Amino acid sequence: MDVLIVPDPGAVAREAAAAVIAGLRRADGDVVLGLATGSSPLGLYRELARLAAEGTLDLTAATGFALDEYVGLPSGHPQSYRKVLLREVCAVTGLPPERLHVPNGSATELDALEWAAAAYEDEIRAAGGVDVQVLGIGGNGHLGFNEPGSSLASRTRVKRLAERTRRDNARFFERPEDVPTHCLTQGLGTILEARRLVLVATGEAKAAAVAAALEGPLTASCPASVLQWHPDAVVVIDEAAAAGLRHRNYYDAAALGLHPTG
Ligand code: F6R
């Protein structure tokens, strides 16, 4: 696991974009990008958009896979993750909207949602897997919408959102009661199969979750701790989000690379 601690959210966006692009460069053929939503990756997506606009990055043949989707939002709701990713990624980076995959959370029956979850796993597999998965972290340590207690081997499925997650996400909705109670989320086992993970976090509200994920035990109580199990996880955080880390000096030294003076 590489941990990069940088001064501010702008630097997080730039370093995370560099980590994403380095991961995509290793891909065989057309690239497959896994996309988180929420506030954390927005700066990273703007940076990818800037690089695409200046011609340094070409995502016009890329495929995107959302990490998760709410269940039960009316189709076209501005906070559905399909809409968010069309707006924040496809419209600005050149990733074609028709190559954006999002779990279908429109069904109301459990059977149909379970079918949609299994179909999503098939879509990821058919695309050859995810080259780089962008991730945020919940204040309670969730990854995707894998809330505390999620199986470390879980696949895409229906999950109930934790009350804390619903409260945290109420800022995106008109009224707190409008936040859906359920979602479809890639499982932790699904996420672990991506060839590179790039997690971004900023601000002191994430410091405890970041410390638990990076330096606590590997446990379902902190789903983001599965990063420790992944062979190519890059964590890019600002000073505030790094405040709880005990091995800070080591991360900073390791980030200097093999030839720190050369
Ligand atoms: C988003 C997702 C969540 C968020 C997390 C942090 O697709 O699955 O895990 O990454 O809730 O959200 P923000 O970035 O809004 O603090």
Side-chain angles (χ1 to χ4, degrees):
M1 185 163 54
D2 287 332
V3 182
L4 276 179
I5 301 165
V6 296
D8 51 50
V12 169
R14 288 190 295 278
E15 292 293 344
V20 167
I21 291 167
L24 294 180
R25 283 216 180 98
R26 295 201 302 242
D28 278 340
D30 292 340
V31 301
V32 180
L33 187 56
L35 299 159
T37 46
S39 313
S40 304
L42 291 178
L44 158 61
Y45 296 152
R46 271 181 231 119
E47 182 63 11
L48 295 181
R50 191 185 68 74
L51 295 169
E54 84 180 15
T56 328
L57 172 69
D58 182 3
L59 291 179
T60 56
T63 297
F65 280 94
L67 192 54
D68 38 26
E69 177 59 293
Y70 289 119
V71 164
L73 284 185
S75 114
H77 190 289
Q79 292 308 327
S80 77
Y81 285 166
R82 173 173 290 283
K83 278 283 177 192
V84 170
L85 291 173
L86 285 171
R87 209 165 51 229
E88 304 291 347
V89 177
C90 294
V92 293
T93 65
L95 192 146
E98 64 278 11
R99 297 183 73 138
L100 173 68
H101 299 248
V102 183
N104 183 353
S106 65
T108 47
E109 299 299 319
L110 185 58
D111 277 2
L113 289 166
E114 283 173 349
W115 188 89
Y120 199 61
E121 289 277 332
D122 290 343
E123 288 172 37
I124 295 175
R125 219 171 291 120
V130 171
D131 291 305
V132 179
Q133 175 65 56
V134 174
L135 296 164
I137 182 171
N140 64 356
H142 73 209
L143 199 65
F145 279 138
N146 295 282
E147 301 288 14
S150 291
S151 159
L152 304 183
S154 49
R155 312 302 307 185
T156 304
R157 69 212 183 289
V158 183
K159 279 298 276 184
R160 187 178 178 95
L161 298 179
E163 278 316 301
R164 170 156 185 197
T165 301
R166 295 188 68 228
R167 271 200 310 279
D168 286 349
N169 286 8
R171 68 191 191 281
F172 296 114
F173 291 82
E174 255 170 51
R175 299 170 311 169
E177 58 270 33
D178 294 340
V179 183
T181 55
H182 288 78
C183 66
L184 283 172
T185 182
Q186 285 190 35
L188 294 172
T190 317
I191 293 168
L192 282 173
E193 283 172 8
R195 288 179 273 279
R196 165 168 274 203
L197 305 181
V198 177
L199 181 133
V200 286
T202 58
E204 61 185 347
K206 296 292 172 70
V210 165
L214 272 52
E215 297 182 343
L218 174 60
T219 167
S221 294
C222 179
S225 64
V226 293
L227 260 76
Q228 298 175 31
W229 195 249
H230 194 281
D232 186 19
V234 182
V235 177
V236 189
I237 53 181
D238 68 358
E239 290 287 345
L245 294 175
R246 283 178 293 131
H247 303 305
R248 162 76 196 255
N249 290 346
Y250 176 77
Y251 305 136
D252 287 348
L256 292 173
L258 275 182
H259 305 290
T261 54

